[in-house]
Amino acid sequence: MKKLVLLGITAFLCACSNASREKIEMTEKDAHLLIQVEHQAYADKLNDLWNRSYPKQKDALHFVVQPYYFTQDIKQDIIWTNDIDATFLKDKLMEIKEVSYTYDVPDSLQREELSDYYTPVIGEGLVFCYRKDLLEKNKLSEEDLVSFEQMAESHVRYYHNHMGEYVYPFFAKLLPKETIPFTNLFPKEQTIKQLKAYKEINTKLDMPDDLIQQKDFYNGDDYLCGLLSTKFQYEKRGAYQNGNLHFMAMPSWQEETIAPPFTTFGFAVTKECKYPNTARQFLAMVRSKKGIQALLDTNMKVPLLCSEDVKDFYIYDHAKKELIEAVNTTQLYNLSMIEENPGITMEMLINQSDFTSILQNYICSKDSAAKVYKELVKNLRTWSIGK
C-alpha cells in the first residue's frame, strides 16, 4: 500500500514537473508582441490578465488601439481582423496549431479553412428580436414567432427592408457551397419558386422597404419583431432599458431553418511574428474563462460563446444572455466564388449587385417570377463577369 502511495506521489510530481516544463517551453525569453485591437478597455484588460498570469513575461504585450479597417499593409505581430478579410489575407498569416482553447466558438461561426489561422472573439451582424410588451398587448406568445407562416396567420408586423443583409436569409440556400461556373448559379426552377414564395410572404406580412426606421424599429410601436443589427446602440433605447427587448432564433420559413448573416472578429498571427509560442499563449488566454470574462466586462458587442457555456460567466442582464445564445443560430456569409471571376463572392453578389433592387421592384410589380428570373440572371451575369 505504501509502495502504491509513493508511486502515486512520484507520478504526481513528474506530472507537475512536465506541466511546468511545457509552460516554459510554450513561451520565448524576452518575447515582445505588437497586438492590434479596436478598444482601449479590452487592451487594458488583456494586458492586466497577461501580467498576472505570466509574471516572468510581464510587459510582453504591446497594444496598438485603432478602429478596424481592412488593409494588406500588416505591421503588427497579431492583427485584429474578421473572418471575411482573414480569408483573403491567409497567405500573410502564420499557421498556429495545437492551441488549447478552454471555450469553443459555435461551429456555425467558424470557417474550416481558417481553423489554424484565426481565433474568433466577437461577432457583428443581424439577430432576430421581438418586443415582449407588444407581444402581450396583442395577446400573442413566442409560439406565434416560430415561423413566418405563423406570423402571417397571427398578423405579426415584421420589420424588413431590401438591403442585402436583410434579404440574405431568404435566398442563402440557393447559393453554392463551392466555386462554380455562372451557368450553374441560381437554378431556374428552384429560384423561380423562391421568388414567388418571397413575394408572397412580403405581401402577407406587409413588409415595406422602411429604411427610415432601420436603426430604431424595435423602439417604436409599429413593428413587433425583426432583424436588429448589433451595430446599433440598442442599449440606450427604452425598449431595452425597460426589459421589453428580447432575442431568439430567426423564425423558420417554408418549413426550413433560416438564419441571419453574421461576421466574426478576432485575432490572427502574421508570418512576421518572431514569437509564435508566446502568440499561442496569448490566443489561449483570449479564449480562456478569464479572457472571455475580461471581454464581457468591457461590454464589447457580442462575445462568441456556445449556448451551453453561457452559464459559466457573469453576464449582467437577460438580453445580453439571449443575444449571445441567439448568435449561435446565425450564419457566416457564403464566400464561394464564380469560376469566371474568382474576385466575386456570393456575399458580394447579394450585397453589392442589383440583386436586391430587382427583388424590390418585383415585390411592387405585376411581373411574373419567370420574367424577373431572366432579368436577375442577365443583370448578375453582366455585373459579375461582364458578358
Side-chain angles (χ1 to χ4, degrees), residues 2 5 8 12 93 104 118 147 155 221 227 237 265 288 304 356 361 372:
K2 287 182 179 178
V5 172
F12 174 76
L93 303 179
D104 292 329
Y118 168 69
S147 70
H155 305 289
D221 293 338
L227 294 178
R237 297 293 185 264
F265 287 79
S288 68
L304 301 178
T356 56
N361 290 337
V372 173

Side-chain angles (χ1 to χ4, degrees), residues 194-243:
Q194 203 73 353
L195 286 169
K196 288 179 179 178
Y198 182 67
K199 183 170 185 174
E200 182 182 6
I201 204 67
N202 267 262
T203 304
K204 284 183 176 180
L205 282 171
D206 185 22
M207 290 153 60
D209 196 38
D210 192 353
L211 287 171
I212 294 174
Q213 293 215 53
Q214 183 190 7
K215 294 184 179 182
D216 211 27
F217 79 88
Y218 55 90
N219 200 47
D221 293 338
D222 291 339
Y223 299 98
L224 194 152
C225 60
L227 294 178
L228 169 63
S229 172
T230 59
K231 291 183 288 188
F232 300 151
Q233 297 295 314
Y234 59 86
E235 299 97 335
K236 297 180 180 179
R237 297 293 185 264
Y240 174 83
Q241 294 176 348
N242 295 335

Side-chain angles (χ1 to χ4, degrees), residues 91-372:
D91 63 335
K92 296 188 176 186
L93 303 179
M94 184 182 292
E95 187 175 11
I96 297 288
K97 291 186 175 182
E98 299 171 355
V99 179
S100 180
Y101 295 120
T102 310
Y103 288 93
D104 292 329
V105 171
D107 290 341
S108 61
L109 297 177
Q110 298 187 67
R111 294 195 186 277
E112 189 176 340
E113 65 271 30
L114 292 176
S115 59
D116 295 323
Y117 293 85
Y118 168 69
T119 302
V121 176
I122 64 171
E124 186 176 277
L126 299 179
V127 181
F128 183 78
C129 70
Y130 69 91
R131 284 273 301 276
K132 184 180 178 182
D133 55 333
L134 295 183
L135 205 64
E136 293 171 349
K137 181 180 178 181
N138 289 281
K139 296 180 172 55
L140 300 172
S141 69
E142 279 190 17
E143 291 181 6
D144 293 287
L145 306 178
V146 169
S147 70
F148 278 94
E149 290 81 0
Q150 181 59 46
M151 281 164 45
E153 190 176 317
S154 301
H155 305 289
V156 172
R157 196 92 191 282
Y158 170 77
Y159 174 79
H160 187 61
N161 69 58
H162 290 93
M163 294 177 68
E165 55 188 353
Y166 290 84
V167 167
Y168 191 89
F170 297 93
F171 291 88
K173 73 175 184 179
L174 293 177
L175 303 176
K177 295 181 180 176
E178 54 190 24
T179 298
I180 64 164
F182 185 88
T183 50
N184 292 347
L185 187 63
F186 295 116
K188 185 176 181 178
E189 207 172 299
Q190 191 179 356
T191 305
I192 288 176
K193 182 180 177 182
Q194 203 73 353
L195 286 169
K196 288 179 179 178
Y198 182 67
K199 183 170 185 174
E200 182 182 6
I201 204 67
N202 267 262
T203 304
K204 284 183 176 180
L205 282 171
D206 185 22
M207 290 153 60
D209 196 38
D210 192 353
L211 287 171
I212 294 174
Q213 293 215 53
Q214 183 190 7
K215 294 184 179 182
D216 211 27
F217 79 88
Y218 55 90
N219 200 47
D221 293 338
D222 291 339
Y223 299 98
L224 194 152
C225 60
L227 294 178
L228 169 63
S229 172
T230 59
K231 291 183 288 188
F232 300 151
Q233 297 295 314
Y234 59 86
E235 299 97 335
K236 297 180 180 179
R237 297 293 185 264
Y240 174 83
Q241 294 176 348
N242 295 335
N244 286 317
L245 186 65
H246 291 262
F247 300 92
M248 60 185 283
M250 193 173 182
S252 64
W253 184 49
Q254 299 178 310
E255 299 183 347
E256 292 187 5
T257 298
I258 62 172
F262 222 65
T263 303
T264 66
F265 287 79
F267 295 105
V269 182
T270 66
K271 283 185 175 178
E272 307 303 316
C273 178
K274 296 177 182 178
Y275 306 101
N277 291 333
T278 306
R280 283 189 183 90
Q281 287 290 87
F282 171 77
L283 296 178
M285 183 185 77
V286 164
R287 294 298 311 173
S288 68
K289 185 168 185 176
K290 290 181 179 178
I292 294 172
Q293 189 63 59
L295 178 66
L296 285 162
D297 291 345
T298 64
N299 201 28
M300 284 177 70
K301 282 298 176 186
V302 190
L304 301 178
L305 276 175
C306 295
S307 293
E308 62 268 23
D309 295 329
V310 174
K311 65 183 183 307
D312 293 350
F313 296 89
Y314 171 70
I315 303 173
Y316 67 92
D317 71 67
H318 75 278
K320 193 77 169 183
K321 290 181 182 179
E322 290 177 354
L323 181 57
I324 292 171
E325 292 188 27
V327 164
N328 281 255
T329 67
T330 61
Q331 63 177 317
L332 295 177
Y333 274 112
N334 185 325
L335 297 185
S336 298
M337 299 175 181
I338 298 171
E339 210 167 77
E340 293 90 335
N341 186 354
I344 299 290
T345 66
M346 296 301 103
E347 178 269 334
M348 294 167 66
L349 200 68
I350 298 291
N351 285 322
Q352 297 181 29
S353 72
D354 286 335
F355 183 92
T356 56
S357 298
I358 292 170
L359 274 183
Q360 185 180 8
N361 290 337
Y362 169 53
I363 299 300
C364 303
S365 75
K366 293 182 179 179
D367 291 340
S368 69
K371 181 180 178 180
V372 173

Side-chain angles (χ1 to χ4, degrees), residues 53-65:
S53 303
Y54 304 102
K56 290 184 179 179
Q57 280 194 301
K58 192 175 181 182
D59 301 324
L61 308 185
H62 301 268
F63 290 92
V64 176
V65 180

